[in-house]
PDB file of all heavy atoms in Angstrom:
ATOM      1  N   GLN A 795      19.401  14.673  10.185  1.00 86.00           N
ATOM      2  CA  GLN A 795      18.435  15.767  10.188  1.00 86.00           C
ATOM      3  C   GLN A 795      17.265  15.465  11.141  1.00 86.00           C
ATOM      4  O   GLN A 795      16.625  14.404  10.962  1.00 86.00           O
ATOM      5  CB  GLN A 795      17.791  15.948   8.771  1.00 86.00           C
ATOM      6  CG  GLN A 795      18.778  16.621   7.774  1.00 86.00           C
ATOM      7  CD  GLN A 795      18.150  16.822   6.455  1.00 86.00           C
ATOM      8  OE1 GLN A 795      16.976  16.967   6.383  1.00 86.00           O
ATOM      9  NE2 GLN A 795      19.001  16.881   5.450  1.00 86.00           N
ATOM     10  N   TRP A 796      17.048  16.344  11.961  1.00 86.00           N
ATOM     11  CA  TRP A 796      15.930  16.181  12.952  1.00 86.00           C
ATOM     12  C   TRP A 796      14.646  16.266  12.148  1.00 86.00           C
ATOM     13  O   TRP A 796      14.556  17.114  11.229  1.00 86.00           O
ATOM     14  CB  TRP A 796      16.012  17.279  13.964  1.00 86.00           C
ATOM     15  CG  TRP A 796      14.920  17.269  14.971  1.00 86.00           C
ATOM     16  CD1 TRP A 796      14.380  16.148  15.576  1.00 86.00           C
ATOM     17  CD2 TRP A 796      14.228  18.398  15.558  1.00 86.00           C
ATOM     18  NE1 TRP A 796      13.404  16.557  16.494  1.00 86.00           N
ATOM     19  CE2 TRP A 796      13.287  17.905  16.487  1.00 86.00           C
ATOM     20  CE3 TRP A 796      14.289  19.814  15.328  1.00 86.00           C
ATOM     21  CZ2 TRP A 796      12.507  18.739  17.217  1.00 86.00           C
ATOM     22  CZ3 TRP A 796      13.520  20.598  16.150  1.00 86.00           C
ATOM     23  CH2 TRP A 796      12.555  20.062  17.006  1.00 86.00           C
ATOM     24  N   GLY A 798      11.813  17.331  13.090  1.00 80.00           N
ATOM     25  CA  GLY A 798      10.985  18.368  13.576  1.00 80.00           C
ATOM     26  C   GLY A 798       9.963  18.026  14.615  1.00 80.00           C
ATOM     27  O   GLY A 798       9.087  18.838  14.956  1.00 80.00           O
ATOM     28  N   ARG A 799      10.037  16.822  15.172  1.00 83.00           N
ATOM     29  CA  ARG A 799       9.117  16.368  16.130  1.00 83.00           C
ATOM     30  C   ARG A 799       9.854  15.781  17.355  1.00 83.00           C
ATOM     31  O   ARG A 799      10.991  15.395  17.210  1.00 83.00           O
ATOM     32  CB  ARG A 799       8.174  15.321  15.586  1.00 83.00           C
ATOM     33  CG  ARG A 799       7.470  15.816  14.414  1.00 83.00           C
ATOM     34  CD  ARG A 799       6.509  14.861  13.816  1.00 83.00           C
ATOM     35  NE  ARG A 799       7.166  13.680  13.258  1.00 83.00           N
ATOM     36  CZ  ARG A 799       6.480  12.633  12.738  1.00 83.00           C
ATOM     37  NH1 ARG A 799       5.197  12.674  12.725  1.00 83.00           N
ATOM     38  NH2 ARG A 799       7.153  11.599  12.261  1.00 83.00           N
ATOM     39  N   TYR A 800       9.128  15.765  18.448  1.00 82.00           N
ATOM     40  CA  TYR A 800       9.723  15.129  19.654  1.00 82.00           C
ATOM     41  C   TYR A 800       8.640  14.536  20.518  1.00 82.00           C
ATOM     42  O   TYR A 800       7.417  14.903  20.369  1.00 82.00           O
ATOM     43  CB  TYR A 800      10.584  16.134  20.462  1.00 82.00           C
ATOM     44  CG  TYR A 800       9.801  17.328  20.905  1.00 82.00           C
ATOM     45  CD1 TYR A 800       9.007  17.256  22.057  1.00 82.00           C
ATOM     46  CD2 TYR A 800       9.821  18.491  20.213  1.00 82.00           C
ATOM     47  CE1 TYR A 800       8.220  18.349  22.438  1.00 82.00           C
ATOM     48  CE2 TYR A 800       9.093  19.650  20.586  1.00 82.00           C
ATOM     49  CZ  TYR A 800       8.302  19.502  21.703  1.00 82.00           C
ATOM     50  OH  TYR A 800       7.577  20.631  22.137  1.00 82.00           O
ATOM     51  N   THR A 816       6.804   5.957  11.580  1.00 94.00           N
ATOM     52  CA  THR A 816       7.022   5.349  10.318  1.00 94.00           C
ATOM     53  C   THR A 816       8.526   5.442   9.947  1.00 94.00           C
ATOM     54  O   THR A 816       9.026   6.542   9.809  1.00 94.00           O
ATOM     55  CB  THR A 816       6.142   6.027   9.284  1.00 94.00           C
ATOM     56  OG1 THR A 816       4.777   5.957   9.632  1.00 94.00           O
ATOM     57  CG2 THR A 816       6.271   5.374   7.875  1.00 94.00           C
ATOM     58  N   ARG A 819      12.484   2.411   4.421  1.00 91.00           N
ATOM     59  CA  ARG A 819      13.605   1.687   3.962  1.00 91.00           C
ATOM     60  C   ARG A 819      14.505   2.659   3.187  1.00 91.00           C
ATOM     61  O   ARG A 819      13.957   3.563   2.471  1.00 91.00           O
ATOM     62  CB  ARG A 819      13.098   0.554   3.023  1.00 91.00           C
ATOM     63  CG  ARG A 819      14.220   0.065   2.156  1.00 91.00           C
ATOM     64  CD  ARG A 819      13.875  -1.168   1.380  1.00 91.00           C
ATOM     65  NE  ARG A 819      12.845  -1.006   0.351  1.00 91.00           N
ATOM     66  CZ  ARG A 819      12.756  -1.924  -0.584  1.00 91.00           C
ATOM     67  NH1 ARG A 819      13.460  -3.009  -0.641  1.00 91.00           N
ATOM     68  NH2 ARG A 819      11.755  -1.823  -1.470  1.00 91.00           N
ATOM     69  N   TYR A 823      18.220   6.112  10.524  1.00 96.00           N
ATOM     70  CA  TYR A 823      17.565   6.902  11.587  1.00 96.00           C
ATOM     71  C   TYR A 823      18.445   6.927  12.781  1.00 96.00           C
ATOM     72  O   TYR A 823      19.221   6.018  13.076  1.00 96.00           O
ATOM     73  CB  TYR A 823      16.226   6.324  11.934  1.00 96.00           C
ATOM     74  CG  TYR A 823      15.228   6.482  10.845  1.00 96.00           C
ATOM     75  CD1 TYR A 823      15.158   5.533   9.845  1.00 96.00           C
ATOM     76  CD2 TYR A 823      14.361   7.580  10.758  1.00 96.00           C
ATOM     77  CE1 TYR A 823      14.211   5.618   8.782  1.00 96.00           C
ATOM     78  CE2 TYR A 823      13.485   7.711   9.740  1.00 96.00           C
ATOM     79  CZ  TYR A 823      13.414   6.742   8.749  1.00 96.00           C
ATOM     80  OH  TYR A 823      12.530   6.874   7.759  1.00 96.00           O
ATOM     81  N   ASN A 843       7.222  -4.343  16.604  1.00 94.00           N
ATOM     82  CA  ASN A 843       6.640  -4.129  15.278  1.00 94.00           C
ATOM     83  C   ASN A 843       5.219  -3.647  15.479  1.00 94.00           C
ATOM     84  O   ASN A 843       4.764  -3.509  16.588  1.00 94.00           O
ATOM     85  CB  ASN A 843       6.704  -5.439  14.391  1.00 94.00           C
ATOM     86  CG  ASN A 843       5.826  -6.541  14.922  1.00 94.00           C
ATOM     87  OD1 ASN A 843       4.993  -6.347  15.753  1.00 94.00           O
ATOM     88  ND2 ASN A 843       5.994  -7.736  14.376  1.00 94.00           N
ATOM     89  N   THR A 847       4.913  -7.105  18.594  1.00 94.00           N
ATOM     90  CA  THR A 847       5.892  -8.173  18.921  1.00 94.00           C
ATOM     91  C   THR A 847       7.214  -7.491  19.199  1.00 94.00           C
ATOM     92  O   THR A 847       7.675  -6.701  18.383  1.00 94.00           O
ATOM     93  CB  THR A 847       6.038  -9.085  17.648  1.00 94.00           C
ATOM     94  OG1 THR A 847       4.764  -9.631  17.362  1.00 94.00           O
ATOM     95  CG2 THR A 847       6.990 -10.252  18.023  1.00 94.00           C
ATOM     96  N   ASP A 862      21.462   4.069  16.157  1.00 97.00           N
ATOM     97  CA  ASP A 862      21.102   4.285  14.735  1.00 97.00           C
ATOM     98  C   ASP A 862      20.328   3.070  14.329  1.00 97.00           C
ATOM     99  O   ASP A 862      20.497   1.936  14.874  1.00 97.00           O
ATOM    100  CB  ASP A 862      22.374   4.413  13.872  1.00 97.00           C
ATOM    101  CG  ASP A 862      23.091   5.763  14.206  1.00 97.00           C
ATOM    102  OD1 ASP A 862      22.506   6.636  14.957  1.00 97.00           O
ATOM    103  OD2 ASP A 862      24.224   6.014  13.712  1.00 97.00           O
ATOM    104  N   GLU A 864      18.360   1.005  10.922  1.00 96.00           N
ATOM    105  CA  GLU A 864      18.040   0.831   9.490  1.00 96.00           C
ATOM    106  C   GLU A 864      17.082  -0.358   9.365  1.00 96.00           C
ATOM    107  O   GLU A 864      17.317  -1.390  10.025  1.00 96.00           O
ATOM    108  CB  GLU A 864      19.328   0.544   8.775  1.00 96.00           C
ATOM    109  CG  GLU A 864      20.146   1.706   8.368  1.00 96.00           C
ATOM    110  CD  GLU A 864      21.382   1.363   7.566  1.00 96.00           C
ATOM    111  OE1 GLU A 864      21.567   0.217   7.146  1.00 96.00           O
ATOM    112  OE2 GLU A 864      22.213   2.286   7.387  1.00 96.00           O
ATOM    113  N   SER A 866      14.995  -3.093   6.629  1.00 93.00           N
ATOM    114  CA  SER A 866      15.077  -3.667   5.199  1.00 93.00           C
ATOM    115  C   SER A 866      13.761  -3.395   4.429  1.00 93.00           C
ATOM    116  O   SER A 866      13.672  -3.556   3.235  1.00 93.00           O
ATOM    117  CB  SER A 866      15.251  -5.219   5.239  1.00 93.00           C
ATOM    118  OG  SER A 866      14.157  -5.796   5.850  1.00 93.00           O
ATOM    119  N   THR A 868       9.994  -0.628   4.618  1.00 92.00           N
ATOM    120  CA  THR A 868       9.260   0.454   5.326  1.00 92.00           C
ATOM    121  C   THR A 868       8.305  -0.135   6.282  1.00 92.00           C
ATOM    122  O   THR A 868       7.511  -0.993   5.892  1.00 92.00           O
ATOM    123  CB  THR A 868       8.561   1.334   4.227  1.00 92.00           C
ATOM    124  OG1 THR A 868       9.620   1.839   3.341  1.00 92.00           O
ATOM    125  CG2 THR A 868       7.806   2.483   4.842  1.00 92.00           C
ATOM    126  N   GLN A 869       8.333   0.413   7.495  1.00 93.00           N
ATOM    127  CA  GLN A 869       7.525  -0.192   8.592  1.00 93.00           C
ATOM    128  C   GLN A 869       7.054   0.875   9.521  1.00 93.00           C
ATOM    129  O   GLN A 869       7.753   1.834   9.761  1.00 93.00           O
ATOM    130  CB  GLN A 869       8.371  -1.209   9.414  1.00 93.00           C
ATOM    131  CG  GLN A 869       8.905  -2.372   8.609  1.00 93.00           C
ATOM    132  CD  GLN A 869       7.878  -3.486   8.450  1.00 93.00           C
ATOM    133  OE1 GLN A 869       6.911  -3.570   9.216  1.00 93.00           O
ATOM    134  NE2 GLN A 869       8.063  -4.248   7.430  1.00 93.00           N
ATOM    135  N   GLU A 896      25.636   5.640   0.240  1.00 54.00           N
ATOM    136  CA  GLU A 896      24.928   6.225  -0.867  1.00 54.00           C
ATOM    137  C   GLU A 896      25.202   7.731  -1.009  1.00 54.00           C
ATOM    138  O   GLU A 896      25.264   8.243  -2.101  1.00 54.00           O
ATOM    139  CB  GLU A 896      23.441   5.935  -0.746  1.00 54.00           C
ATOM    140  CG  GLU A 896      23.056   4.486  -0.893  1.00 54.00           C
ATOM    141  CD  GLU A 896      21.577   4.305  -0.773  1.00 54.00           C
ATOM    142  OE1 GLU A 896      20.793   5.079  -1.360  1.00 54.00           O
ATOM    143  OE2 GLU A 896      21.221   3.274  -0.184  1.00 54.00           O
TER     144      GLU A 896
ATOM    145  N   LYS B1115       1.363  11.350  15.493  1.00 88.00           N
ATOM    146  CA  LYS B1115       2.770  11.473  15.091  1.00 88.00           C
ATOM    147  C   LYS B1115       3.262  10.141  14.463  1.00 88.00           C
ATOM    148  O   LYS B1115       4.441  10.107  14.067  1.00 88.00           O
ATOM    149  CB  LYS B1115       3.596  11.823  16.302  1.00 88.00           C
ATOM    150  CG  LYS B1115       3.499  13.277  16.666  1.00 88.00           C
ATOM    151  CD  LYS B1115       4.360  13.675  17.827  1.00 88.00           C
ATOM    152  CE  LYS B1115       4.333  15.094  18.156  1.00 88.00           C
ATOM    153  NZ  LYS B1115       5.082  15.456  19.385  1.00 88.00           N
ATOM    154  N   ALA B1116       2.421   9.151  14.362  1.00 92.00           N
ATOM    155  CA  ALA B1116       2.830   7.926  13.615  1.00 92.00           C
ATOM    156  C   ALA B1116       3.024   8.202  12.153  1.00 92.00           C
ATOM    157  O   ALA B1116       3.815   7.524  11.504  1.00 92.00           O
ATOM    158  CB  ALA B1116       1.844   6.833  13.813  1.00 92.00           C
ATOM    159  N   ALA B1117       2.280   9.169  11.656  1.00 91.00           N
ATOM    160  CA  ALA B1117       2.382   9.511  10.258  1.00 91.00           C
ATOM    161  C   ALA B1117       3.663  10.227   9.989  1.00 91.00           C
ATOM    162  O   ALA B1117       4.127  11.090  10.808  1.00 91.00           O
ATOM    163  CB  ALA B1117       1.214  10.407   9.851  1.00 91.00           C
ATOM    164  N   GLN B1122      10.227  14.344   6.523  1.00 88.00           N
ATOM    165  CA  GLN B1122      10.700  13.003   6.330  1.00 88.00           C
ATOM    166  C   GLN B1122      10.295  12.397   4.952  1.00 88.00           C
ATOM    167  O   GLN B1122      11.048  11.720   4.271  1.00 88.00           O
ATOM    168  CB  GLN B1122      10.125  12.118   7.488  1.00 88.00           C
ATOM    169  CG  GLN B1122      10.861  10.751   7.612  1.00 88.00           C
ATOM    170  CD  GLN B1122      10.093   9.843   8.493  1.00 88.00           C
ATOM    171  OE1 GLN B1122       9.146  10.151   9.156  1.00 88.00           O
ATOM    172  NE2 GLN B1122      10.601   8.580   8.566  1.00 88.00           N
ATOM    173  N   GLN B1129      15.401  10.520  -1.942  1.00 90.00           N
ATOM    174  CA  GLN B1129      16.221   9.326  -1.973  1.00 90.00           C
ATOM    175  C   GLN B1129      15.740   8.354  -3.019  1.00 90.00           C
ATOM    176  O   GLN B1129      16.580   7.683  -3.691  1.00 90.00           O
ATOM    177  CB  GLN B1129      16.158   8.689  -0.593  1.00 90.00           C
ATOM    178  CG  GLN B1129      16.667   7.256  -0.422  1.00 90.00           C
ATOM    179  CD  GLN B1129      18.134   7.183  -0.437  1.00 90.00           C
ATOM    180  OE1 GLN B1129      18.858   8.208  -0.641  1.00 90.00           O
ATOM    181  NE2 GLN B1129      18.663   6.031  -0.145  1.00 90.00           N
ATOM    182  N   GLN B1215      16.197  21.396   4.238  1.00 81.00           N
ATOM    183  CA  GLN B1215      15.389  20.448   5.067  1.00 81.00           C
ATOM    184  C   GLN B1215      15.626  20.698   6.585  1.00 81.00           C
ATOM    185  O   GLN B1215      14.745  20.557   7.353  1.00 81.00           O
ATOM    186  CB  GLN B1215      15.816  19.023   4.730  1.00 81.00           C
ATOM    187  CG  GLN B1215      15.119  18.664   3.436  1.00 81.00           C
ATOM    188  CD  GLN B1215      15.160  17.193   3.149  1.00 81.00           C
ATOM    189  OE1 GLN B1215      16.047  16.460   3.556  1.00 81.00           O
ATOM    190  NE2 GLN B1215      14.125  16.668   2.463  1.00 81.00           N
ATOM    191  N   SER B1219      12.603  21.464   9.082  1.00 84.00           N
ATOM    192  CA  SER B1219      12.367  20.719  10.270  1.00 84.00           C
ATOM    193  C   SER B1219      12.128  21.611  11.453  1.00 84.00           C
ATOM    194  O   SER B1219      11.255  21.433  12.276  1.00 84.00           O
ATOM    195  CB  SER B1219      13.540  19.792  10.587  1.00 84.00           C
ATOM    196  OG  SER B1219      13.715  18.842   9.605  1.00 84.00           O
ATOM    197  N   SER B1223       8.669  22.089  13.537  1.00 85.00           N
ATOM    198  CA  SER B1223       8.562  21.907  14.929  1.00 85.00           C
ATOM    199  C   SER B1223       8.008  23.116  15.669  1.00 85.00           C
ATOM    200  O   SER B1223       7.283  23.054  16.615  1.00 85.00           O
ATOM    201  CB  SER B1223       9.915  21.444  15.501  1.00 85.00           C
ATOM    202  OG  SER B1223      10.572  22.475  16.164  1.00 85.00           O
ATOM    203  N   GLU B1268       5.346  -0.251  -1.005  1.00 89.00           N
ATOM    204  CA  GLU B1268       5.498  -0.545   0.460  1.00 89.00           C
ATOM    205  C   GLU B1268       4.892   0.559   1.337  1.00 89.00           C
ATOM    206  O   GLU B1268       4.259   0.245   2.293  1.00 89.00           O
ATOM    207  CB  GLU B1268       6.996  -0.575   0.787  1.00 89.00           C
ATOM    208  CG  GLU B1268       7.530  -1.970   0.973  1.00 89.00           C
ATOM    209  CD  GLU B1268       8.992  -1.992   1.157  1.00 89.00           C
ATOM    210  OE1 GLU B1268       9.562  -1.096   1.848  1.00 89.00           O
ATOM    211  OE2 GLU B1268       9.671  -2.842   0.545  1.00 89.00           O
ATOM    212  N   GLU B1317       2.418 -11.021   9.948  1.00 66.00           N
ATOM    213  CA  GLU B1317       3.380 -11.029  11.012  1.00 66.00           C
ATOM    214  C   GLU B1317       4.734 -11.403  10.331  1.00 66.00           C
ATOM    215  O   GLU B1317       5.134 -12.551  10.344  1.00 66.00           O
ATOM    216  CB  GLU B1317       2.970 -12.009  12.092  1.00 66.00           C
ATOM    217  CG  GLU B1317       3.884 -12.152  13.294  1.00 66.00           C
ATOM    218  CD  GLU B1317       3.862 -10.876  14.194  1.00 66.00           C
ATOM    219  OE1 GLU B1317       2.811 -10.506  14.589  1.00 66.00           O
ATOM    220  OE2 GLU B1317       4.942 -10.357  14.448  1.00 66.00           O
ATOM    221  N   MET B1318       5.380 -10.402   9.747  1.00 75.00           N
ATOM    222  CA  MET B1318       6.608 -10.656   9.051  1.00 75.00           C
ATOM    223  C   MET B1318       7.685 -10.909  10.062  1.00 75.00           C
ATOM    224  O   MET B1318       7.858 -10.208  11.031  1.00 75.00           O
ATOM    225  CB  MET B1318       6.972  -9.442   8.190  1.00 75.00           C
ATOM    226  CG  MET B1318       6.204  -9.368   6.854  1.00 75.00           C
ATOM    227  SD  MET B1318       7.019  -8.289   5.732  1.00 75.00           S
ATOM    228  CE  MET B1318       6.672  -6.717   6.429  1.00 75.00           C
ATOM    229  N   GLY B1327      26.240   0.223  18.092  1.00 94.00           N
ATOM    230  CA  GLY B1327      25.176   1.190  18.162  1.00 94.00           C
ATOM    231  C   GLY B1327      24.305   1.292  16.956  1.00 94.00           C
ATOM    232  O   GLY B1327      23.389   2.102  16.895  1.00 94.00           O
ATOM    233  N   ILE B1329      21.407  -0.539  14.855  1.00 97.00           N
ATOM    234  CA  ILE B1329      20.471  -1.606  14.864  1.00 97.00           C
ATOM    235  C   ILE B1329      19.967  -1.818  13.460  1.00 97.00           C
ATOM    236  O   ILE B1329      19.492  -0.848  12.799  1.00 97.00           O
ATOM    237  CB  ILE B1329      19.273  -1.211  15.776  1.00 97.00           C
ATOM    238  CG1 ILE B1329      19.710  -0.894  17.222  1.00 97.00           C
ATOM    239  CG2 ILE B1329      18.183  -2.333  15.788  1.00 97.00           C
ATOM    240  CD1 ILE B1329      18.631  -0.208  18.038  1.00 97.00           C
ATOM    241  N   ILE B1331      17.356  -4.056  11.213  1.00 96.00           N
ATOM    242  CA  ILE B1331      16.319  -5.083  11.319  1.00 96.00           C
ATOM    243  C   ILE B1331      15.917  -5.565   9.914  1.00 96.00           C
ATOM    244  O   ILE B1331      15.562  -4.748   9.076  1.00 96.00           O
ATOM    245  CB  ILE B1331      15.058  -4.480  12.031  1.00 96.00           C
ATOM    246  CG1 ILE B1331      15.478  -3.921  13.440  1.00 96.00           C
ATOM    247  CG2 ILE B1331      14.056  -5.598  12.279  1.00 96.00           C
ATOM    248  CD1 ILE B1331      14.382  -3.304  14.244  1.00 96.00           C
ATOM    249  N   PHE B1333      13.504  -7.603   7.772  1.00 90.00           N
ATOM    250  CA  PHE B1333      12.120  -8.193   7.798  1.00 90.00           C
ATOM    251  C   PHE B1333      11.971  -9.173   6.660  1.00 90.00           C
ATOM    252  O   PHE B1333      12.405  -8.885   5.511  1.00 90.00           O
ATOM    253  CB  PHE B1333      11.031  -7.063   7.563  1.00 90.00           C
ATOM    254  CG  PHE B1333      10.926  -6.182   8.780  1.00 90.00           C
ATOM    255  CD1 PHE B1333      11.717  -5.041   9.012  1.00 90.00           C
ATOM    256  CD2 PHE B1333      10.008  -6.531   9.777  1.00 90.00           C
ATOM    257  CE1 PHE B1333      11.573  -4.257  10.149  1.00 90.00           C
ATOM    258  CE2 PHE B1333       9.831  -5.698  10.915  1.00 90.00           C
ATOM    259  CZ  PHE B1333      10.660  -4.646  11.111  1.00 90.00           C
TER     260      PHE B1333
END
Side-chain angles (χ1 to χ4, degrees):
Chain A
Q795 284 183 27
W796 180 38
R799 302 181 295 178
Y800 57 81
T816 301
R819 163 170 65 163
Y823 291 86
N843 69 9
T847 303
D862 291 352
E864 278 180 10
S866 67
T868 298
Q869 297 282 335
E896 291 183 42
Chain B
K1115 284 182 176 173
Q1122 196 192 353
Q1129 165 78 350
Q1215 282 197 330
S1219 296
S1223 103
E1268 257 176 41
E1317 182 69 52
M1318 282 198 287
I1329 303 167
I1331 307 179
F1333 287 88

